[in-house]
Amino acid sequence: MTNLPPFLLSRDRILHGFSANDLAKRVRSGALVRVRHGVYVDGPTWRAMRPWQQYRVRVQAAAETFEKPTIFARHSSASVWDIPFIGQNHPVQALTLKNDGGRSRAGVTRHFAAREGLEVVKLEGLLVTGRVRTVLDLAAFSPFTEAVAPLDHVLRPDLTRHLHALTKAELETGIGGLYSAAAARRIRTAIAFADPASASAGESWSRALIHVAGFEPPILQQRFTDAAGLVGYSDFYWKDSRVIGEFDGEEKYVKPEFLKGRTTSEAVLAEKNRENRLRSLGFRVERWDWADLAAAGTLERKLAAAGVARRRTRSAVFDAQNFP
């Protein structure tokens, strides 16, 4: 269950001894943050949250203001399922079962969905599309580079929620007749590329950008050893170019499952020592972070400068035996 901050609803302000003017003053001072019309949360708590956590709060806040049952979809459903996605400025998204073209209102974008074949799950007190429909919708209506992370995630078991890994066959079956031919092609392209070996959303996004930029596909989670034993596993490895790529997500230095009992400073030092050992083996190590991924062209320039090879076009593949 996601830990969400308590909400203060303007309709309940009298119960807390607040007037409308009191709420306005607290918002101006930063003590409260208005998440959406009529819904407030503690200011310091909100500012301490990461963007994806704030988005989850916005979804919950929307649910607090709806009077009719609402099915959340796409990024909003993904946030409830804890399925990672790319981007920070998505609207709250829900479904409408009326084929009127969908509509947007009060910060919520609604998309038409036919009732037939629609799987709806109650999760954390909200109605959301099922896991398969959620990631397929993201693949259908997001750019390829953003579609990969959710698919990679569901191909791995979700140990926190005790959910089994989905298979590519299950995802393919889920397409059915729900999507247009063009959307189905986009989904199948993303499914074919998806790989559970990507251990984080940042690695998935990196891999998709690497592919779109035309580089040779890297080996994922390559094991390295030296005279002292195991050095570790790389995020990306280009054997022919002798380049190792590392995505530096903050979870590597913050989350307990990555720290493994170490302090952040100890984790940083260990990572530096690991990189030095890799360099001593004759590899070039190139690192990037979220900001590099978000800045168009930055990762491509880094990898090109590091000497990572581009994919050869079919017309440039030379076969001496068949060459006239």
Side-chain angles (χ1 to χ4, degrees):
M1 182 71 178
T2 303
N3 292 321
L4 297 172
F7 293 126
L8 173 60
L9 305 180
S10 58
R11 65 174 181 258
D12 296 332
R13 67 179 184 273
I14 295 176
L15 301 178
H16 299 279
F18 294 142
S19 66
N21 192 43
D22 291 331
L23 292 180
K25 287 181 178 178
R26 287 174 176 265
V27 170
R28 287 196 296 270
S29 71
L32 289 177
V33 169
R34 193 180 80 163
V35 180
R36 63 180 285 112
H37 181 72
V39 185
Y40 302 81
V41 296
D42 178 70
T45 300
W46 172 264
R47 288 186 286 274
M49 288 180 166
R50 306 304 300 161
W52 58 88
Q53 296 170 322
Q54 292 177 344
Y55 181 79
R56 175 66 182 88
V57 171
R58 287 170 50 209
V59 173
Q60 192 72 32
E64 294 286 344
T65 63
F66 294 157
E67 296 181 359
K68 297 180 179 180
T70 300
I71 304 168
F72 291 96
R74 302 192 186 184
H75 300 90
S76 297
S77 175
S79 74
V80 181
W81 280 107
D82 283 335
I83 296 172
F85 53 84
I86 306 304
Q88 300 179 5
N89 299 312
H90 301 290
V92 174
Q93 299 181 81
L95 298 183
T96 176
L97 303 181
K98 296 181 180 180
N99 194 3
D100 55 4
R103 57 189 181 276
S104 299
R105 182 180 177 187
V108 178
T109 299
R110 295 183 182 270
H111 310 277
F112 169 70
R115 293 177 182 271
E116 184 179 357
L118 177 61
E119 179 192 8
V120 178
V121 177
K122 191 170 185 178
L123 186 65
E124 299 194 353
L126 303 180
L127 299 177
V128 298
T129 53
R131 272 205 302 167
V132 171
R133 177 63 179 266
T134 297
V135 296
L136 293 184
D137 279 355
L138 291 175
F141 305 113
S142 301
F144 171 81
T145 53
E146 297 180 11
V148 174
L151 291 169
D152 284 355
H153 177 83
V154 298
L155 292 177
R156 302 188 299 270
D158 187 329
L159 301 180
T160 301
R161 291 188 175 271
H162 307 290
L163 298 171
H164 69 275
L166 297 176
T167 66
K168 290 192 176 186
E170 287 177 286
L171 295 173
E172 288 270 1
T173 300
I175 298 172
L178 297 176
Y179 303 93
S180 68
R185 285 194 296 271
R186 290 194 294 271
I187 295 171
R188 290 191 174 94
T189 297
I191 290 175
F193 184 76
D195 191 332
S198 282
S200 70
E203 291 180 30
S204 297
W205 193 11
S206 299
R207 203 175 88 256
L209 291 171
I210 289 166
H211 180 72
V212 170
F215 291 106
E216 287 285 346
I219 299 169
L220 307 181
Q221 311 304 326
Q222 175 66 42
R223 185 176 188 269
F224 290 94
T225 60
D226 61 11
L230 177 66
V231 179
Y233 296 81
S234 65
D235 294 339
F236 307 95
Y237 172 51
W238 289 271
K239 183 177 180 180
D240 291 342
S241 303
R242 295 191 64 77
V243 175
I244 291 171
E246 294 289 324
F247 169 72
D248 278 334
E250 64 178 23
E251 61 270 11
K252 188 180 293 186
Y253 307 109
V254 176
K255 289 188 175 181
E257 59 266 36
F258 290 94
L259 290 175
K260 298 178 181 179
R262 302 171 299 179
T263 64
T264 296
S265 60
E266 288 172 337
V268 171
L269 180 60
E271 185 66 17
K272 182 178 180 181
N273 290 336
R274 172 177 170 274
E275 181 174 325
N276 288 337
R277 290 171 69 184
L278 290 171
R279 291 185 188 280
S280 70
L281 291 172
F283 299 109
R284 173 163 178 165
V285 179
E286 191 65 40
R287 313 187 77 92
W288 59 87
D289 57 20
W290 285 109
D292 294 322
L293 298 181
T298 298
L299 178 59
E300 181 176 3
R301 288 191 292 272
K302 279 178 171 282
L303 296 182
V308 176
R310 305 274 184 168
R311 293 194 302 273
R312 291 180 296 172
T313 61
R314 291 189 178 95
S315 63
V317 177
F318 181 79
D319 185 342
Q321 293 181 340
N322 296 322
F323 193 75

